[in-house]
Amino acid sequence: MNEHPTGGIAPIDSSVAHPARVYNAWLGGRDNYVADQEAAELAATANPQIVPAVRANRAFLGRAVRELTAKAGIRQFLDIGTGIPAADNTHEVAQRLDPGARVVYVDNDPVVLAHARALLIGTPEGATDYLQADVRDVDGILASAQETLDLSRPVGLMLVAILQYVPDADDPHALARRLLDALAPGSHLVLSHPAADIGAEAVAASMRVYNERAADHAGATPRTRAEVVRFFDGAQLLDPGVVELPDWRPGPEDTPAPGLPMWCGAGRKP
Ligand code: SAM
């Protein structure tokens, strides 16, 4: 376990909403406080598509890890914005297909660190590590990740439902690009992001409610499909491109659900 705290990491504060705990509340988990529950409920009332969207987002994460492991030969993952462990975490999906898979998780919320210690335990053949770090600390993340991952070989870079917490002023596109640039050819980027152009009014209303209650710097910014496509600059988008969550390589168990306000996709670094 590598705790690697970097600058800007706040101590646990239960009086304001935090993204990991609000997301846990939307998923029906119990690892959240009253401030998180209030923000989760008010945002979901403003936009009833939120709860189906976060469930579809978790399902997308699982499908993408499965596809990368089974079809693209990816055996190591850098999962930034891990969230409080839920069903089918990245290492569980990957290690089911290859017990030797290696995963480094990164999150800036100390609550996630506390749960990660107990829950993110992988196979003896593989490796699972955890960094407490902010996604903006690209150099620190890469320096620590290479203690567990072989960065000369392809990595699955997971930026799933995290970059909405990085405001335009901190240039989330440049962050994604710097991370991908540091990885070997054949690496893949998997990304999802709340949409600014699907059900825009409801999304704006729910973000407003959420942002009023969020911890400092934890406010969220939805982005358009074109802005999400730009995260894949420098990568070749895999089929079917940047689409709504249920449309990304659905399995037989996935039911169509048009209009969920998130975009997602995966791309390969040539
Ligand atoms: N990736 C998981 C998924 O899609 O199921 C969890 C997504 S959850 C909505 C977003 C996670 O990103 C939270 O756990 C939150 O603590 C983390 N996060 C938010 N801002 C972050 C930042 N600046 N650096 C690192 N992690 C951050």
Side-chain angles (χ1 to χ4, degrees):
M1 185 66 63
N2 184 343
E3 294 178 15
H4 185 71
T6 60
I9 306 282
I12 293 177
D13 180 354
S14 60
S15 68
V16 284
H18 275 255
R21 301 193 303 248
V22 173
Y23 187 74
N24 172 264
W26 282 328
L27 280 174
R30 294 207 304 225
D31 302 310
N32 45 70
Y33 301 108
V34 172
D36 309 305
Q37 291 153 17
E38 272 175 17
E41 271 172 37
L42 288 168
T45 303
N47 185 357
Q49 294 282 54
I50 285 186
V51 171
V54 299
R55 296 207 173 123
N57 181 62
R58 262 327 268 193
F60 161 71
L61 184 150
R63 290 200 301 285
V65 173
R66 232 176 4 250
E67 289 280 306
L68 263 53
T69 310
K71 297 195 183 146
I74 298 293
R75 292 292 176 271
Q76 37 179 13
F77 291 86
L78 178 57
D79 183 344
I80 309 182
T82 309
I84 293 169
D88 280 345
N89 301 296
T90 297
H91 74 286
E92 289 162 333
V93 177
Q95 291 180 349
R96 234 177 264 144
L97 293 165
D98 179 352
R102 305 173 79 79
V103 179
V104 171
Y105 289 110
V106 182
D107 204 290
N108 68 346
D109 191 328
V111 171
V112 174
L113 174 68
H115 289 278
R117 277 202 199 98
L119 294 177
L120 298 180
I121 298 163
T123 56
E125 303 92 318
T128 308
D129 200 359
Y130 185 91
L131 313 177
Q132 185 175 336
D134 192 292
V135 64
R136 285 164 276 223
D137 180 16
V138 170
D139 294 338
I141 289 173
L142 291 168
S144 295
Q146 69 187 358
E147 291 169 19
T148 304
L149 307 180
D150 176 356
L151 297 188
S152 69
R153 299 172 60 81
V155 170
L157 170 63
M158 314 289 295
L159 293 173
V160 180
I162 177 182
L163 290 182
Q164 69 270 25
Y165 301 114
V166 179
D168 290 341
D170 289 342
D171 202 345
H173 291 89
L175 282 178
R177 187 61 194 253
R178 278 176 62 206
L179 284 161
L180 198 60
D181 279 352
L183 302 179
S187 292
H188 284 63
L189 168 63
V190 172
L191 182 141
S192 67
H193 199 294
D197 48 357
I198 305 173
E201 267 178 40
V203 170
S206 60
M207 292 276 176
R208 215 166 25 247
V209 166
Y210 171 79
N211 288 346
E212 278 164 9
R213 286 161 180 80
D216 272 359
H217 309 303
T221 306
R223 295 192 167 93
T224 63
R225 182 173 179 280
E227 289 172 305
V228 173
V229 168
R230 271 215 296 130
F231 284 118
F232 293 96
D233 280 0
Q236 300 155 334
L237 267 172
L238 303 189
D239 284 342
V242 171
V243 292
E244 294 180 24
L245 294 162
D247 297 337
W248 199 89
R249 304 192 180 188
E253 70 286 3
D254 297 302
T255 44
L260 298 183
M262 281 185 86
W263 296 113
C264 71
R268 179 183 185 280
K269 177 179 173 175

